[in-house]
Amino acid sequence: MKALENFVENLEPKFVKGGKWEKMHPLYETLATFLFTPKHTTQKGAHIRDGVDLKRTMFTVIIALIPALLFGIYNTGHWHYSIMADFDPATYGAYADYMAGFGDKVLYGLGKVLPLIIVSYAVGLGVEFIFGFMRGHSLHEGFLVTGMLIPLIMPADIPLWMVAVGTAFAVLMGKEVFGGTGMNVVNIALLTRAFLFFAYPTKMSGDIVWKSGTADLLAKNGGMMPDGVSGATALGDLATFTGDSPTVAGQILSADMSHAELLSHFEKAYDPIEAVIGMMPGSIGETSFIAIMMGAAILLFTGVASWRIILSFFAGGFIFGLLMNGLGHNAYQELPAYYHLIIGGFAFGAVFMATDPVTAAQTNVGKLWYGFLGGMFVILLRVLNPAYPEGVMLAILLMNVTAPIIDHVVVQRNIARRTKRLKTA
């Protein structure tokens, strides 16, 4: 390690002002400070001394994302071979078992997920480097995490060029125009997803995007899906409970069924245990509650994420799930509240998106309200707006823009309370 440090230090004269590669100084500084703690220190004013700087904080988040990433790779491979088994049971029937064909499923998932990661980092870092060269500063650390988050909230089959366009748009319009890392108003990964969701909705929602390869197999099969086969997600099926054709896992049920009967069919198709493990179609990194909680444990143990936001986000979702149960106008509203927390992107959003230290509330009390209202809006969007069955993306983006107002109200209330205490002392 000492030899590497000496090598990096020997290169420095070539990149400083007047050196041979002066214009490449932002690139050198980025790599050098990623490998070793910077030697420059604050010369005046108040500051915090700590061995963990922003780059190493971001690296901790990436480590926390690894369980969700690894599970997402396998899950992508499994659902690909699952749909293959539906079209060709004689050849691929054995792959329908979740743990069968482990190696093939990992290789397929890796082939789908790895290019998404490469494109996300290549485009995002490319934009960051361009602005770094223009402004003469090193690479902003924030994209180390954003570049990993973007692939994990995408369907596996999304075209790579769309990921490139969405990433470039989000980094440019959501971050760099506001001044770079620490200045963005909304979460960049969620802005990427929002851009792609509204610009290319057929690639981000519907029944053919969640099991990789479904569109190709449908084309070969004359556009026909085998009987009883569906590519919908659990949330997609729940949204049909508000209409005249309730559907579960490709089976159209009678609209005359009671709410309890519809939910019974749903729970058989989407077992809660399988939902906790993550054995269902969905965005790459969002399906496994267990893998996400492993990441949450890392973030909370290291103090990187706010427990107030995570806890209150889950509390808000659960309490409003119970309130929807009390209304009970349709089967979706009567879905057990805990189900909302383990399906879709709820847990991933609570742990990795809502806790974004830049766009979340900054005060302790504000974090509790920020998380609670975020969880609340997820449930309201899911249950009351069947046209958009997920809800997490819009809920967190909405809370991003309201976070400054929440902090302002908290601070003003503190000022008012202390002023009153001073007057009565």
Side-chain angles (χ1 to χ4, degrees):
M1 187 60 72
K2 186 63 179 176
L4 178 60
E5 185 175 5
N6 291 336
F7 175 74
V8 173
E9 288 180 349
N10 290 335
L11 287 176
E12 186 173 7
K14 298 181 180 179
F15 290 94
V16 297
K17 189 174 183 180
K20 183 178 180 181
W21 299 323
E22 175 186 352
K23 293 184 178 179
M24 300 295 287
H25 183 261
L27 176 61
Y28 167 80
E29 187 179 11
T30 296
L31 297 177
T33 56
F34 182 79
L35 294 171
F36 303 103
T37 302
K39 294 181 178 179
H40 55 266
T41 58
T42 303
Q43 299 299 315
K44 59 182 179 179
H47 61 277
I48 297 174
R49 296 181 62 183
D50 195 293
V52 180
D53 59 12
L54 188 54
K55 281 189 174 65
R56 270 144 280 275
T57 299
M58 296 295 106
F59 194 65
T60 301
V61 181
I62 292 177
I63 293 174
L65 285 166
I66 288 178
L69 170 66
L70 295 179
F71 188 89
I73 288 173
Y74 182 78
N75 201 47
T76 298
H78 168 72
W79 290 110
H80 167 71
Y81 280 103
S82 170
I83 196 73
M84 294 278 285
D86 291 328
F87 279 90
D88 187 0
T91 307
Y92 297 101
Y95 285 86
D97 182 83
Y98 201 80
M99 294 306 296
F102 185 88
D104 290 339
K105 291 176 180 178
V106 169
L107 287 176
Y108 182 88
L110 197 60
K112 281 292 179 179
V113 176
L114 189 58
L116 293 174
I117 296 174
I118 293 173
V119 168
S120 172
Y121 273 115
V123 174
L125 291 176
V127 175
E128 294 263 356
F129 272 123
I130 291 173
F131 275 84
F133 292 143
M134 292 171 58
R135 294 171 175 169
H137 61 62
S138 62
L139 176 69
H140 285 156
E141 296 86 347
F143 199 80
L144 296 177
V145 171
T146 304
M148 183 63 76
L149 287 174
I150 290 173
L152 295 182
I153 58 175
M154 297 290 162
D157 265 359
I158 186 168
L160 296 177
W161 69 267
M162 287 187 186
V163 177
V165 171
T167 301
F169 172 84
V171 174
L172 185 62
M173 302 304 295
K175 184 176 178 181
E176 295 300 341
V177 296
F178 290 100
T181 294
M183 305 301 289
N184 50 299
V185 177
V186 298
N187 184 288
I188 301 304
L190 284 178
L191 183 59
T192 304
R193 180 176 172 129
F195 173 83
L196 294 174
F197 180 82
F198 292 109
Y200 310 103
T202 60
K203 298 295 184 182
M204 295 293 291
S205 60
D207 292 348
I208 65 170
V209 304
W210 305 113
K211 293 181 178 179
S212 180
T214 301
D216 293 337
L217 289 171
L218 276 174
K220 292 180 181 178
N221 201 41
M224 300 296 294
M225 188 80 85
D227 292 339
V229 176
S230 170
T233 63
L235 289 170
D237 280 351
L238 284 169
T240 66
F241 287 4
T242 62
D244 297 329
S245 301
T247 305
V248 173
Q251 180 184 3
I252 300 176
L253 306 176
S254 171
D256 295 329
M257 281 185 174
S258 66
H259 296 174
E261 289 175 318
L262 290 174
L263 289 175
S264 176
H265 279 277
F266 176 82
E267 291 179 11
K268 289 178 181 176
Y270 302 102
D271 182 82
I273 301 299
E274 293 183 352
V276 169
I277 297 173
M279 299 161 57
M280 55 178 54
S283 295
I284 293 169
E286 295 182 349
T287 62
S288 175
F289 184 84
I290 292 176
I292 293 167
M293 288 302 107
M294 291 171 66
I298 294 173
L299 295 180
L300 293 176
F301 178 75
T302 55
V304 170
S306 167
W307 64 267
R308 291 179 176 84
I309 293 177
I310 296 176
L311 183 63
S312 59
F313 198 95
F314 277 101
F318 186 73
I319 291 173
F320 271 78
L322 292 176
L323 290 176
M324 289 295 110
N325 293 165
L327 294 177
H329 291 311
N330 54 52
Y332 197 174
Q333 293 183 359
E334 292 191 5
L335 179 74
Y338 71 87
Y339 246 115
H340 283 289
L341 312 185
I342 60 176
I343 59 177
F346 192 98
F348 193 88
V351 173
F352 294 111
M353 297 297 189
T355 54
D356 180 356
V358 175
T359 57
Q362 304 299 309
T363 58
N364 287 339
V365 174
K367 289 176 181 176
L368 292 173
W369 280 108
Y370 173 87
F372 184 84
L373 294 174
M376 177 195 77
F377 280 123
V378 172
I379 305 306
L380 293 180
L381 287 168
R382 281 182 175 180
V383 179
L384 302 182
N385 179 22
Y388 182 57
E390 175 48 87
V392 175
M393 176 186 75
L394 290 182
I396 296 179
L397 288 175
L398 175 63
M399 294 312 302
N400 286 167
V401 297
T402 56
I405 300 174
I406 294 174
D407 281 334
H408 177 76
V409 171
V410 171
V411 170
Q412 292 303 313
R413 286 178 63 87
N414 283 341
I415 293 174
R417 187 170 57 251
R418 292 184 181 188
T419 302
K420 182 179 179 181
R421 187 189 308 158
L422 182 63
K423 290 180 178 178
T424 56

